[in-house]
Amino acid sequence: MSDGTRGGGRFGRYGGRFVPETLMSCLLDLEREYAAATEDESFRAELAELLRLYSGRPTPLYPAENLSRECGGRARIYLKREDLNHTGAHKINNCLGQVLLARRMGKRRIVAETGAGQHGVATAAVAARFRMDCTIYMGELDMERQRPNVVRMRLLGAEVVPTASGSRTLKDATNDAIRDWVTNVRNTHYIIGSTVGPHPYPTIVRDFQAVIGREAREQILEAEDRLPSVIVACVGGGSNALGIFSAFLGDEDVALIGVEAGGSPDGHAAALCEGTPGVLHGSYSYLMQDDDGQVELAHSIAPGLDYPGVGPEHSFLMDSGRVTYARVPDREALAAFSDLSRLEGIIPALEPCHALAFTRKMLADRTDGDDVVIVNLSGRGDKDIDAVTDLIEDLTE
Amino acid sequence: MLRELTRSMREAGEKALVAFLTAGYPDEETFLRLLDAASRAGCQIIEIGIPFSDPIADGPVIQESSKRALDGGMTLRKALALAGRASETNPSALVFMSYVNPILRMGVERFAEEASRAGVSGVVVPDVPFEESPDIRCTLGKSGITFVDLVAPTSSEDRVASIAEGADGFLYLVSLTGVTGVRSALSGELGDFVQRVRAHTDVPLYVGFGISGPELAAQAAEHADGVIIGSAIIRIVQSSETSDEAVENVRSFLTDVKRAIAR
């Protein structure tokens, strides 16, 4: 239905490879190498072993009984605990796969962009593990609001380069990572952190994240002897969402819902709900842009969602109607942050709080008594504690 | 047509000098005066950079000029209007350099029509490689505008052959593996790179990226049919105190470059 490996990496009309000529040979090499790797039993076995022993997979599918009761008791909510991965989020799934690809291609240096710092930490960790040089670009604003992750990346031996241009967040860090890659493409592999960028990245990242959905499918069948009626995931670039959705795309009775950052009156990051198609960072997809084709600044309290673009496969899935997209504002995500902490003893990252908040609203309208919902809990919230402490106090007083 | 111009220059044994200016930088009027100065200094082609919010192929100098131009309200529409004004009096050929998104937002057909009306003869789109180019190339062609291809040192032999086969006007050779910006030396592989491309096409070959001044321009012109200078010009504008000073400094700089490549 949406095979990114055919037709120059298009998902319907979305995707493609809008990059400087300097990068084209490298992208074609990566496409070939990835195709060879997926056929290579030893590659698959090594990745499976790393996911198990280094990252701690499989992650549990946890029945959140207190949360379910709080949401009216009409549905059993399960949380896919990607927050329990090594380095604290789903990002490591992709990083482990890509670092093995980099090694296959003989690249000894890694660059990456990071927003929340989760992808940066995961990249720094795998680069350390495989003894590669690692440079991470991060917006100055994000470095301020996610300090603990900056410290982690440096501890792991990565060089963290602040990006001072534009919005000083993820979009601009991505620009700088691409510029570094263009300059050092002969010895450097770019580990892009989401299902964005030029072909073959959206496909590669989706495939490496698909382990989330494969496990969740098996686990829910084990627990409930049925498929869920709804799966909810937050969408920034969209990798955790595609990771869990991909195993259920063929199951028409499973509703798939992607939740974007609705932000505040100051702005949002809802590229799908509010944007129009265009080209950013190498692919054609929905995008926040003005009438002159300049990319607009995103706003979200969750740095991992604070991005004006979205992966091309999501654009395709929205147009086709297979996935429904919604938006949740900052303040509702914040409420979900403290709710889950107190109800389940789990501190979630601000990003999946958008999915949690949506789930709560959705269930408030339900009258059906036997529902099964999975929320992809894509990361843990330790990184957010400094940034939200004041806000949470305001909220809970 | 761009093709006639670039071929006739080569037949006359004249090396082409292409000046890059960011549209609307440092302001609209000074930009138009810089354009005239470049023309008077002997630049047969002037590349007008359309500022974009996310210029992934540009180094810090052009990033900064793009940002300043955007802050001043520059848009693709306004750049077309400026080009229209310039082409009334300016004899140089005008080539736009724009990232693809502003063009897509306007609509490729409408852009082609308006660019043609504004006297634009070619368009360079740094984030549209060969594979993604057929639609835009064809639409521009119908309006008499040349889609200018780029080749890079990392382009494989097969790619160079495919790109060269469809190339028209001139072929833009990216001199180095990297973003735009001033460098202190040319790549030692430039001569080989030009020869490698030359084997596939008789379209004139112009070298850009990293050329800082007369000396490197002369070295590049030993191999190529023309040179493209961008960041070095923008840097002169940035370091000039007044508009008058910027215009005079750029004119004098380009005159020196022109003399250096003519030798």
Side-chain angles (χ1 to χ4, degrees), chain A residues 92 95 110-113 118-128 134 136 191:
Chain A
I92 192 100
C95 291
I110 299 292
V111 292
E113 83 296 334
Q118 292 304 101
H119 176 57
V121 170
T123 303
V126 302
C134 181
I136 306 286
I191 300 191

Side-chain angles (χ1 to χ4, degrees), chain A residues 10 16-22 24-25 28 171 175 179 182-183 186 276 278-279 289-295, chain B residues 51-56 58 63 70 75 77 101 105 126-127 129 131-132 150 152 154-156 159 163 177-178:
Chain A
R10 293 281 177 160
R17 264 184 294 231
F18 294 90
V19 293
E21 169 61 23
T22 306
M24 279 305 297
S25 290
L28 294 167
K171 169 180 83 91
N175 290 338
R179 291 182 188 115
V182 170
T183 305
R186 286 187 166 105
T276 49
V279 170
Q289 57 178 328
D290 67 16
D291 291 343
D292 295 301
Q294 304 295 339
V295 180
Chain B
F52 182 52
S53 52
D54 296 86
I56 53 170
D58 285 303
Q63 281 179 48
L70 287 174
T75 62
R77 271 176 273 201
N101 199 53
R105 189 69 172 144
D127 55 350
E131 286 84 345
E132 301 288 356
L150 298 101
T154 52
S155 305
S156 65
R159 292 189 64 75
I163 295 167
T177 306

Side-chain angles (χ1 to χ4, degrees), chain B residues 55-85:
Chain B
I56 53 170
D58 285 303
V61 174
I62 293 176
Q63 281 179 48
E64 174 62 23
S65 68
S66 293
K67 183 173 185 305
R68 279 277 305 276
L70 287 174
D71 290 347
M74 187 45 49
T75 62
L76 179 55
R77 271 176 273 201
K78 287 186 186 170
L80 283 163
L82 286 174
R85 274 174 69 188

Side-chain angles (χ1 to χ4, degrees), chain B residues 10-47:
Chain B
R10 190 175 55 191
E11 276 156 26
E14 186 184 359
K15 300 286 183 181
L17 177 57
V18 182
F20 171 95
L21 298 167
T22 301
Y25 178 76
D27 56 67
E28 293 191 14
E29 292 312 312
T30 311
F31 163 74
L32 288 172
R33 290 176 62 202
L34 288 167
L35 213 142
D36 275 334
S39 204
R40 276 184 285 124
C43 299
Q44 302 93 335
I45 299 172
I46 295 171
E47 209 180 297

Side-chain angles (χ1 to χ4, degrees), chain A residues 261-269 297-301 327-332:
Chain A
S264 69
D266 294 339
H268 61 83
L297 300 187
H299 169 83
S300 170
I301 193 170
R327 46 186 290 181
V328 157
D330 286 350
R331 62 183 157 72
E332 290 176 21

